Amino acid sequence: MKPEAAGAWAEAAKYATKARKLIVEDNRSEAMLYDSKTTTWDKVKPGFVAYLHRIEALAHFAARQNDQAEKSLLAVIETKCDAYPDVYFLLGQIHNARYDDKAGVFNKLSAEAQSGEKGQQILQEAREESKKAAEFFARGILVAEASPNKEAYKAVVANARKEMEESYEIWNDGKKDGLDEFMAGFKSTCQP
């Protein structure tokens, strides 16, 4: 995406937020969204709210507003954790970007500063971001593989698996040992 488009995406995020508030929080949904004779708001609300948060998140992400995107992405997971595997992948990318930022700061330090308390703190923060990235990629892979549309996610999952392995290796001191156990730890998390 071109940097000059970020402003337009920021505006889109504002409108997505307004739409979600109007439909969900102001409870104007019943007249607008479904036939109340065949279903109820309680049945459609989780999926619909997750969808609206996802739209907000995508707009914030495209606008390079990662903090706001992260909040919306986490809201999607909280509302309906098995709805969108891509939410996990975007969270993984956000944490990868934070890792890159912290690693960049660490790499600019002198050797003496790197081994000092401040340098080690920055290094630990970078490793934690890498761990979070690996966790979100792993969870997204499992949700995608359990999805009825898993074939549609095949290419994305392959890329996410590569990114997850790289993040895991950074966090795990350059080793891939324990990767299978790491993945297995998420198997019970949010299965449809």
Side-chain angles (χ1 to χ4, degrees), residues 6-22 55-57 59-60 63 65 68 72:
W9 279 106
E11 279 298 305
K14 288 179 190 175
Y15 286 112
T17 301
K18 285 181 184 179
R20 180 183 51 78
K21 287 180 179 179
L22 174 71
I55 290 172
E56 277 180 79
H60 284 302
Q65 299 170 336
Q68 296 95 321
S72 294

Side-chain angles (χ1 to χ4, degrees), residues 31-181:
M32 298 169 63
L33 298 173
Y34 66 93
D35 177 2
S36 60
K37 293 176 186 165
T38 59
T39 190
T40 65
W41 177 236
D42 291 340
K43 289 180 185 174
V44 298
K45 183 178 180 179
F48 193 72
V49 172
Y51 177 75
L52 290 170
H53 279 298
R54 182 173 171 262
I55 290 172
E56 277 180 79
L58 293 173
H60 284 302
F61 187 80
R64 299 176 183 194
Q65 299 170 336
N66 284 351
D67 290 342
Q68 296 95 321
E70 181 180 32
K71 288 176 188 174
S72 294
L73 292 166
L74 291 171
V76 172
I77 293 169
E78 185 179 320
T79 305
K80 191 158 174 44
C81 65
D82 63 346
Y84 301 104
D86 62 325
V87 211
Y88 295 97
F89 302 148
L90 289 175
L91 283 163
Q93 289 178 0
I94 288 170
H95 287 287
N96 266 348
R98 290 178 183 158
Y99 163 79
D100 289 342
D101 290 345
K102 291 181 186 305
V105 169
F106 178 80
N107 290 334
K108 289 180 184 175
L109 297 174
S110 68
E112 184 179 333
Q114 285 180 348
S115 61
E117 186 178 327
K118 181 71 173 167
Q120 289 302 299
Q121 179 185 352
I122 293 169
L123 181 61
Q124 184 57 35
E125 289 171 2
R127 290 181 71 220
E128 285 300 315
E129 291 296 341
S130 188
K131 179 183 179 187
K132 289 176 186 175
E135 290 173 353
F136 280 116
F137 285 125
R139 289 177 67 195
I141 290 165
L142 292 171
V143 169
E145 289 175 344
S147 169
N149 300 323
K150 67 180 172 183
E151 287 302 311
Y153 292 112
K154 205 170 195 173
V156 177
V157 165
N159 187 52
R161 188 173 304 280
K162 184 179 130 208
E163 295 224 25
M164 187 259 310
E165 289 173 0
E166 290 172 4
S167 295
Y168 178 84
E169 195 172 353
I170 290 167
W171 167 68
N172 198 34
D173 295 325
K175 298 177 230 152
K176 288 189 181 179
D177 298 348
L179 184 59
D180 291 336
E181 292 81 12

